[in-house]
Every structure is written in structure tokens, then in C-alpha cells.
Amino acid sequence: MRYQSQQVAWLFFAGAMVLFLAQVLFGVLAGLIYVYPNFLSELLPFNIIRMIHTNALIVWLLLGFFGGTYYLLPEETERELFSVRLAQLQFWIFFLAAAAAVVGYLLGIHEGREFLEQPTWVKVAITISVLLFLFNVSMTLFKGRKTATAQVLLLGLWGAAIFFLFAFYNPSNLVLDKLYWWWVVHIWVEGVWELIMAGILAFLLIKVTGVDREVIEKWLYVIVGLSLFTGLLGTGHHYYWIGAPGYWQWVGSIFSAVEIVPFFAMVLWAFYLVYQGRRDHPNKAALLWCLGCPTVAFFGAGVWGFMHTLSPINYYTHGTQVTAAHGHLAFYGAYVMLNLAIITYAMPNLRGLQPFNQVLNMWSFWLMTSAMAFMTFTLTFAGVVQTHLQRVMGMSYMEVQDQLTLFYWMRLGAGVFVVVGAILFIYAVYGPVREQLTVQEAQAQPAE
Ligand code: HEM
Ligand code: HEM
Ligand SMILES: [Fe+2]
């Protein structure tokens, strides 16, 4: 670690990991209710558990993005962060607002609208925290070296904040409500967050491969252009059946089909650079996450997204388990793995150690990733059976659910392994380190 202010990232990563664990545990609870429908029904109903599962996910991913940005920005801009105090303040506002939202959910206080259930005052607190964050990082960039990597990352973060503002607009007309709801939900993950992903990956690839920045950043422009070109109009794949004009069938199908291209470009980018790389970076686990992230994102978002994105297909699959299969693998590959990559890379530096517990970390990679893949397969099979029985044969919803029990058991099993993988990851990164040189000791060793 070269800059003192980078240390503040530690706080954000720790907060993220606490919520990550909560997220996957609530996922398992939700999965349990799928096979024991009355489990907890009096105490903690399924809709609340689901809300905590999805909200904790979004919040910890954002905390990870904030931490990652605070970590990499000093190295990119070649100066300390504008203000560490402000960063700490921003963390606590955000973390406490999220915690208050969860307590509220447990008491049954929420405002509906999937993913955006937070009470308005929590949304206001989140907005204030994000504005403090953006001010802090923009001032840092403003005063320092302006690399393409940092600029793309900040563009993505600003975009995320701007589109979040549509969460405050909730028209009573249901068509308009849904139309704008997707401006947050879709444009985040298939637009502005993709820029965050590309920016953080660019930083990591520069570090772990040692390839020239110029080469890496040339790709970055192409990826950013493709993401925005396809992702914005690709929103149309959510406008098929909500009462929007018919031309969205065409616009949504065509543009969202092309959304695969930036995800595929990121796979080529990462593998090409690692192949070209001259440097034998000691953090092998970070390298693994850097390659895994775009690969699984390509399958989860690209392949599993394409599977149901054309309107004649979506007509049958809309809102079935096919959607849940895609939602899980896409979020996991693109954004969970991205955060685990930057955390794996940054934590040894933040702890002042050489890369440590690498084998354990890589075990958590394979365990978690295989379990998420298995969960995706079971949900995909469930979704295909569901689509056929319900939408083609016309069986009733609950009758069909009875036919899917086996798949739900397998999803639960996979979920337990995801939790084990998550615990393993947290232990590998935060746990004790045996016989590990500190950076100073390693430097004092004579070269071999
Ligand atoms: C990392 C990027 C992505 C993430 C995190 C993601 C996540 C999600 C989630 C969570 C949903 C469910 C939303 C809901 O109804 O509550 C969804 C729906 C959908 N996604 Fe994605 N997605 C991504 C990229 C893509 C891409 C690239 C495509 C197309 C190629 C795509 C196609 C779709 C479609 C068509 C739906 C609607 C499914 C339905 O009608 O029920 N997604 N996505
Ligand atoms: C890091 C890993 C995970 C991610 C990124 C993730 C993400 C998500 C997302 C985006 C949704 C909303 C899906 C949609 O609207 O289509 C969801 C719902 C759900 N997740 Fe997860 N999840 C993860 C882990 C788990 C685990 C370990 C389980 C345990 C079995 C689980 C079980 C569920 C269940 C049961 C739902 C509700 C589905 C429904 O409403 O029918 N998830 N998750
Ligand atoms: Fe979408």
C-alpha cells in the first residue's frame, strides 16, 4: 500500500462482508421456506426474508464499490484521498441507514416496489451518503492524475447515483411506475454498474498482469461504449408486457440481444491480458477472481440473459424460475465476484502482508462458484418445467409448484454450499495468517 488514506477501504470491505454473510444466510432461509412453506410464517414471512436477502445484496455490493474506489483512487490519481474523515462519515450514514432499513423490514415497515422497499427517509440518507462519497472521490480525481480507468469508474458511480433518483419517483399509474422502476433496476446492472465493473477490472488487470496501461485502457473505451449503446435501449426487454407501446418488442429484443457483446468483450480482455502479462504477480487468488468474474458474468448475464430476452420467448418465460436462475448467476458473476476480486487483491496490502491464505481463498472461489452454477442449473430446469406446465399446458400456478419440489431441494442444497464458501472466503481474507512475512520483512530478505 502506497497511500495512507487507502486504509479507509478496510472499513467498507468489513461492512460489506458482514452484509454478504447476512445476505446468503437469508437466501438459505428463503430457500428453506420454498420446501417447508410454513416455516417461520408467523414470525418472519417469506416476503420480508426475500427483501432482506435482495437489499443486503445491493447494499453490500455498493459498499464494496465504495471501498474499492477509495482503495484504487489514490494509486490512480497519485495523491491521497480528499478526505478520510468524510469517507468514514459517509460509511456510517450508509451502514446505519441500511441497518435501520433491515430493522424496519423485520417490524414489517417497508414501501413495497421490489428492491426499492426502503422507507423514503432511508433513501434520503443513502442519497446523502452517496453524494458525500461522490464529492470526496471527485475532488480527489479533480486534483490528481486523470487516468481513463478512474474516469470510467467515476462515470459509472455518478451514473448509479443519478439513476437512483428515479427511486423517488413513484407514479400512481402502474405502467409509469414500472417504466421508471426499471430505470434503476435495469440501468444499474446493465448500464452504469457495467462501467464500475470495467473500471475496477481495468485497475486489477493493470496490477496483476503488468501489461501497459495504454493497451488495457484502449479496450476500456470500447467496452464502455458497447455497454451504454446496448444497455440503455436494452431496457426495452422489460417493456414487453407492462402496457408500453408495441415497438418496444423490437427495440428491446434487438438491443438487449447485443448486450452480450460487452460482456463477451470483457472475457476476451481479461484472458488476453493475462496471456500477454509479463509479470508473475504473487497474488494468484486475485488473478483467479479477475478471470472468473468476467467469465461467470458472461454466462450469467450474457448467455442466461439472452436465453429469455427475445420477446417471443419472454412471452412464455416471463417471471418464472428462469428469471431467478439468470438473476442469481448474473449478479454473482458480475458484481459479487468483482467485489471478491478487489477485496482479495487489496486486503493483503491493507493488512501490510504478502498475499496470504491463497489456497483457502481459491477453494472458496471454486466452492462458491460451483455451488452458484449448480443453483442456476436447478432453477433453470425448474423454470423450463414451470414454463411448459403453466404457460403451455395451462396448469395452475400452485399445482405446478408442487411438481418443482425436487428442484427446490437441490437449490437449497446448493445454497448451503454457497454459505460455506462465503464463510471460507471471509476466513481466508480476515482470519489468522500463519508464518507470513510482512511486506517489510519480505523486502529485507535477500533476493533469490
Ligand atoms: C450483470 C448484469 C445483469 C444482472 C445483474 C441481471 C439481473 C437481473 C435480475 C435480478 C432480473 C429479475 C428482475 C425482476 O424481475 O425482479 C433480471 C431480469 C431480466 N434480465 Fe437480467 N441481468 C443482467 C444482464 C442481463 C442481460 C445482458 C440480459 C440480456 C441479454 C438480461 C435479460 C433479462 C431479461 C429479459 C429479464 C426479464 C425476465 C422476465 O421477464 O421475467 N439481463 N435480470
Ligand atoms: C451471492 C449469492 C447470491 C446472489 C447474488 C443472489 C441474488 C438474488 C437475487 C437477485 C434475487 C431476486 C431474483 C429475481 O427477482 O429473479 C434473489 C432471490 C432469491 N434468492 Fe438469492 N442470491 C444469492 C444467494 C442465494 C442463496 C445462497 C440462496 C439459498 C438457497 C438464495 C435463495 C434465494 C431465494 C429463495 C430467492 C427468492 C426467489 C423468489 O422470489 O422466488 N440466494 N437472490
Ligand atoms: Fe434488464
Side-chain angles (χ1 to χ4, degrees):
M1 199 180 66
R2 285 155 58 200
Y3 297 89
Q4 196 52 43
S5 56
Q6 285 177 290
Q7 200 67 37
V8 78
W10 197 96
L11 187 62
F12 287 82
F13 292 153
M17 290 298 96
V18 170
L19 289 170
F20 176 34
L21 200 59
Q23 180 234 325
V24 289
L25 284 172
F26 274 84
V28 167
L29 275 184
L32 207 55
I33 293 174
Y34 253 93
V35 293
Y36 289 118
N38 290 327
F39 178 64
L40 285 181
S41 61
E42 304 276 322
L43 263 177
L44 203 56
F46 175 81
N47 68 313
I48 300 287
I49 290 175
R50 186 189 197 279
M51 216 177 278
I52 296 176
H53 177 57
T54 53
N55 280 237
L57 169 71
I58 306 296
V59 167
W60 89 255
L61 293 178
L62 287 170
L63 282 174
F65 295 159
F66 296 157
T69 306
Y70 284 132
Y71 179 83
L72 69 79
L73 210 55
E75 291 188 19
E76 286 294 305
T77 59
E78 297 184 329
R79 70 181 301 280
E80 296 286 357
L81 290 174
F82 177 72
S83 165
V84 172
R85 278 272 174 85
L86 208 57
Q88 286 162 339
L89 175 71
Q90 181 248 322
F91 171 83
W92 287 111
I93 295 177
F94 196 84
F95 195 77
L96 294 177
V102 171
V103 174
Y105 295 162
L106 293 173
L107 299 173
I109 302 166
H110 61 82
E111 295 189 355
R113 255 189 148 198
E114 191 195 354
F115 295 117
L116 305 179
E117 297 96 343
Q118 312 81 24
T120 305
W121 72 267
V122 172
K123 289 197 185 84
V124 172
I126 289 174
T127 308
I128 292 171
S129 169
V130 172
L131 286 177
L132 291 178
F133 165 78
L134 287 172
F135 173 71
N136 204 355
V137 294
S138 302
M139 287 305 284
T140 310
L141 181 67
F142 188 61
K143 296 191 168 179
R145 180 175 69 144
K146 292 165 194 62
T147 63
T149 299
Q151 284 174 325
V152 166
L153 176 59
L154 257 68
L155 185 66
L157 292 162
W158 271 100
I162 287 165
F163 282 100
F164 181 67
L165 296 180
F166 288 96
F168 289 99
Y169 182 50
N170 189 359
S172 56
N173 177 313
L174 201 57
V175 177
L176 287 178
D177 165 353
K178 279 293 171 191
L179 209 90
Y180 287 107
W181 180 79
W182 286 110
W183 282 31
V184 188
V185 176
H186 166 99
I187 293 185
W188 267 21
V189 299
E190 291 163 65
V192 291
W193 279 27
E194 268 181 77
L195 309 194
I196 298 173
M197 175 178 171
I200 293 179
L201 272 182
F203 170 81
L204 288 172
L205 289 169
I206 289 170
K207 297 290 169 178
V208 298
T209 69
V211 174
D212 288 342
R213 176 183 289 279
E214 291 71 46
V215 178
I216 295 181
E217 290 182 339
K218 238 176 250 159
W219 285 72
L220 194 54
Y221 290 115
V222 177
I223 292 165
V224 168
L226 284 169
S227 302
L228 293 179
F229 176 69
T230 60
L232 293 177
L233 283 171
T235 319
H237 65 184
H238 303 292
Y239 292 174
Y240 299 153
W241 331 114
I242 64 169
Y247 53 78
W248 285 110
Q249 307 283 333
W250 288 97
V251 178
S253 295
I254 292 168
F255 280 88
S256 71
V258 192
E259 278 184 49
I260 309 171
V261 178
F263 282 103
F264 190 60
M266 282 195 262
V267 180
L268 291 180
W269 187 43
F271 277 88
Y272 171 77
L273 292 173
V274 169
Y275 179 72
Q276 290 283 308
R278 306 174 253 97
R279 189 182 295 168
D280 203 15
H281 197 278
N283 199 333
K284 298 278 179 281
L287 184 69
L288 182 62
W289 286 105
C290 282
L291 290 175
C293 164
T295 307
V296 180
F298 167 68
F299 281 100
V303 179
W304 257 258
F306 181 71
M307 217 151 70
H308 59 163
T309 206
L310 301 175
S311 79
I313 294 172
N314 192 267
Y315 178 75
Y316 291 98
T317 59
H318 181 58
T320 62
Q321 295 297 328
V322 172
T323 306
H326 154 68
H328 275 88
L329 202 64
F331 256 113
Y332 175 75
Y335 303 119
V336 171
M337 292 180 89
L338 178 72
N339 271 312
L340 301 185
I342 181 93
I343 291 174
T344 297
Y345 175 78
M347 277 309 288
N349 301 338
L350 292 172
R351 291 177 68 173
L353 298 171
Q354 293 290 305
F356 54 80
N357 293 347
Q358 300 231 38
V359 175
L360 209 58
N361 189 312
M362 291 196 230
W363 268 101
S364 82
F365 172 97
W366 289 110
L367 186 62
M368 226 186 303
T369 306
S370 321
M372 286 307 292
F374 190 83
M375 187 190 293
T376 305
F377 297 143
T378 63
L379 290 176
T380 308
F381 282 115
V384 171
V385 173
Q386 182 188 10
T387 302
H388 190 76
L389 294 182
Q390 198 179 312
R391 302 277 163 80
V392 181
M393 307 299 285
M395 266 168 85
S396 79
Y397 179 84
M398 288 313 282
E399 258 182 310
V400 173
Q401 291 300 311
D402 264 348
Q403 302 293 316
L404 304 177
T405 312
L406 179 64
F407 297 115
Y408 292 144
W409 271 108
M410 291 196 287
R411 183 258 301 270
L412 179 60
V416 171
F417 281 98
V418 174
V419 172
V420 175
I423 293 171
L424 213 58
F425 179 87
I426 294 171
Y427 182 82
V429 170
Y430 287 91
V433 177
R434 268 187 303 157
E435 295 163 25
Q436 188 64 48
L437 300 180
T438 65
V439 174
Q440 288 86 346
E441 283 162 353
Q443 281 162 354
Q445 297 260 316
E448 283 163 37

